[in-house]
Amino acid sequence: MSPASSTPPWNVRRLPRADGRVFLVTGGNAGIGYFVAEQLSTTGATVVLGSRNPAKAEAATASIRARVAGARVRSVRLDLADLPSLATVPEALEVEHLDAVVHNAGVALDDPPREETEQGHELMFGTNHLGHFALTRWLMPLLSAAPAARVVTMGSFAAKSERLDLDDLQSRTDYRPERTYGRSKLAQMYFAVELDRRLRTAGGTVTSVVVHPGGALDSLTPSRPPLPARTAGARLGAAPAALLLQGKHAGAWPAVRAVLDPAVRGDRLWGPRVFGLRGAPHPHPIWTHLADRSVAGRLWDASRDLTGVDPGVDPGATIG
């Protein structure tokens, strides 16, 4: 029996209850992250939006509360580009356990020049990958305190055609915004796959799952006032694309399923059913290059050296 046929039916519009559980969504104030948070809020869980912009986080929480009666949603300041600040996130959450974190936040630069974080890392690689790598380390005690926690990493189709240059992870030699973005997302996905291997080897209760949203467009996404709304012209112009692509509300479905469905496994890539671009969330084989354990191991070691932390090391320890 194939993994797909052994997976129980899943209804994206009839989610199971999750009362008493706590979920953190990085970048939960906008885009796909917003819809992940909104959908998880319908389950009765406490949903925390991780955001570096308090005003945008407040607008997002207000929007969710307006749409979901009794929503237990709040926000916490979280800046993935500032590595030292991430150590304070677990205390700021004010919870005894964390049932899932959705690593969704990310930055994409459309044009040169190359930018760096305060710690001197290329901005997209430093935020999208290194920030989540370090955050996982600090959250692991809270995740381990939950019965069966999930680390859900939002990948991207932009990573499918990319390959990492392990000698130029910071894009100092070859900086092209689109390529650098794709490689930063690929690094995230390598980390998530390797984290799952290490967690399974250790025999713990935490699972790491990689998802991707398929082709998710703003122009196909429902409006959520007071968040920025799509125009009538944009909706009309995007109509043909709806045959193959979808909105960001649907792009959130794989992550939501990865958080809630106990049948989801970490050795699959979860994305839209139809050509990996649109439709209900469905398990797909891990991309061949993502299964390269040598690359994943070298990336892990480099990430540990660049951040000074290791998600597999006791949080009381440091790497020096």
Side-chain angles (χ1 to χ4, degrees):
M1 182 178 291
S2 69
S5 61
S6 64
T7 301
W10 181 262
N11 189 333
V12 297
R13 294 177 177 82
R14 186 175 295 177
L15 301 177
R17 297 295 299 177
D19 300 270
R21 297 168 72 185
V22 183
F23 307 134
L24 170 64
V25 183
T26 71
N29 60 280
I32 292 172
Y34 168 84
F35 285 98
V36 171
E38 181 185 278
Q39 291 166 29
L40 289 176
S41 294
T42 67
T43 69
T46 295
V47 180
V48 184
L49 281 59
S51 173
R52 63 184 176 182
N53 187 314
K56 290 183 178 180
E58 184 56 36
T61 57
S63 178
I64 292 173
R65 288 171 182 154
R67 298 188 62 83
V68 181
R72 297 179 175 89
V73 59
R74 55 188 175 86
S75 64
V76 65
R77 191 176 187 284
L78 192 157
D79 186 354
L80 292 163
D82 183 9
L83 295 179
S85 72
L86 299 177
T88 68
V89 173
E91 183 177 356
L93 288 173
E94 298 181 335
V95 296
E96 295 183 354
H97 70 276
L98 184 64
D99 295 277
V101 56
V102 180
H103 288 331
N104 162 82
V107 60
L109 301 180
D110 294 329
D111 299 304
R114 180 180 177 277
E115 296 184 30
E116 292 187 349
T117 68
E118 290 188 15
Q119 287 77 49
H121 304 303
E122 189 281 318
L123 184 60
M124 289 185 279
F125 179 75
T127 302
N128 302 351
H129 170 60
L130 294 180
H132 284 118
F133 182 91
L135 179 63
T136 303
R137 184 264 191 140
W138 296 112
L139 293 179
M140 195 55 72
L142 290 177
L143 292 163
S144 298
R150 298 282 172 88
V151 178
V152 178
T153 296
M154 183 68 72
S156 171
F157 237 40
K160 190 170 186 178
S161 60
E162 293 294 345
R163 299 296 183 270
L164 291 183
D165 183 347
L166 292 166
D167 296 318
D168 190 28
L169 290 172
Q170 304 274 18
S171 298
R172 299 184 191 279
T173 302
D174 181 15
Y175 176 74
R176 284 174 276 174
E178 185 174 344
R179 167 169 284 186
T180 297
Y181 172 77
R183 288 180 172 180
S184 74
K185 297 300 292 185
L186 180 58
Q188 258 192 287
M189 297 171 79
Y190 266 116
F191 163 58
V193 171
E194 180 64 15
L195 178 63
D196 184 63
R197 289 194 195 104
R198 296 186 182 216
L199 291 171
R200 283 189 280 116
T201 299
T205 59
V206 183
T207 299
S208 174
V209 183
V210 188
V211 303
H212 74 84
L217 302 180
D218 284 325
S219 53
L220 296 174
T221 302
S223 297
R224 289 292 188 267
L227 303 179
R230 56 184 181 154
T231 66
R235 289 196 298 270
L236 183 61
L243 296 174
L244 287 176
L245 306 177
Q246 58 191 2
K248 292 188 174 180
H249 63 300
W253 291 344
V256 170
R257 181 170 185 175
V259 168
L260 296 173
D261 186 356
V264 168
R265 293 160 45 186
D267 59 350
R268 296 289 185 271
L269 175 60
W270 291 79
R273 176 183 292 273
V274 182
F275 305 120
L277 293 174
R278 69 184 305 273
H282 182 79
H284 301 272
I286 295 288
W287 299 333
T288 301
H289 57 301
L290 273 180
D292 190 325
R293 299 189 64 173
S294 174
V295 173
R298 291 178 62 191
L299 174 65
W300 186 290
D301 291 344
S303 302
R304 177 198 60 201
D305 294 342
L306 290 168
T307 61
V309 301
D310 190 323
V313 173
D314 181 271
T318 57
I319 305 300

